[in-house]
């Protein structure tokens, strides 16, 4: 079971890297007002959602404790991120504030995962 959990943790990290990497590649464009949500950001957020749900299930099946409040907060943030990216995915330009919000929420989600024990 440990190998399976570690596999999905790795996939979860790939998802966050895709989401944050897509954001970071658009930072210069955000300064110019031409940033857009790239497909990597949507795919990364979806990967995080799927692997996160699987990880919670695997950890509970393995009788490991799961902090449901932490998971709920992370899920809520991810749903907001996913909603914003999904709705605006086809637009040529995204408002700086909205684009920045996605980057901020992604970063907050990372720090919640790492620091909330």
């Amino acid at each position: 079971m440990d190998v399976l959990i570690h596999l999905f943790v790795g996939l979860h990290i790939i998802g966050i890297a895709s989401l944050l990497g897509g954001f970071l590649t658009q930072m210069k464009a955000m300064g110019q007002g031409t940033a857009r949500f790239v497909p990597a950001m949507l795919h990364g957020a979806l990967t995080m959602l799927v692997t996160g749900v699987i990880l919670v299930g695997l950890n509970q099946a393995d009788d490991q404790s799961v902090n449901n409040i932490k998971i709920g907060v992370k899920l809520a943030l991810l749903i907001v991120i996913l909603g914003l990216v999904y709705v605006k995915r086809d637009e040529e330009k995204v408002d700086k504030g909205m684009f920045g919000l996605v980057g901020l929420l992604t970063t907050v989600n990372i720090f919640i995962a790492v620091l909330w024990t």
Side-chain angles (χ1 to χ4, degrees):
M1 185 71 92
D2 284 342
V3 172
L4 196 57
I5 289 172
H6 291 322
L7 173 72
F8 280 102
V9 167
L11 291 172
H12 196 69
I13 291 170
I14 290 170
I16 193 74
S18 178
L19 177 58
L20 188 61
F23 172 79
L24 292 174
T25 61
Q26 293 288 307
M27 289 290 289
K28 185 176 180 181
M30 186 175 85
Q32 299 168 350
T34 59
R36 61 186 305 259
F37 292 127
V38 295
M41 295 174 74
L42 177 62
H43 298 151
L46 287 170
T47 300
M48 287 177 59
L49 179 64
V50 170
T51 58
V53 169
I54 291 170
L55 280 168
V56 169
L58 287 174
N59 280 305
Q60 287 181 341
D62 199 29
D63 289 330
Q64 296 181 24
S65 65
V66 176
N67 186 340
N68 290 321
I69 296 172
K70 175 183 173 181
I71 298 302
V73 170
K74 287 180 55 55
L75 179 62
L77 289 174
L78 184 57
I79 287 174
V80 170
I81 292 167
L82 191 54
L84 290 172
V85 173
Y86 184 78
V87 168
K88 300 289 187 175
R89 72 188 184 282
D90 292 330
E91 293 189 12
E92 276 303 308
K93 293 190 292 186
V94 178
D95 179 60
K96 286 181 185 182
M98 184 177 297
F99 195 79
L101 179 63
V102 168
L104 175 68
L105 292 176
T106 301
T107 305
V108 168
N109 213 349
I110 292 168
F111 281 108
I112 288 172
V114 173
L115 299 176
W116 188 342
T117 56

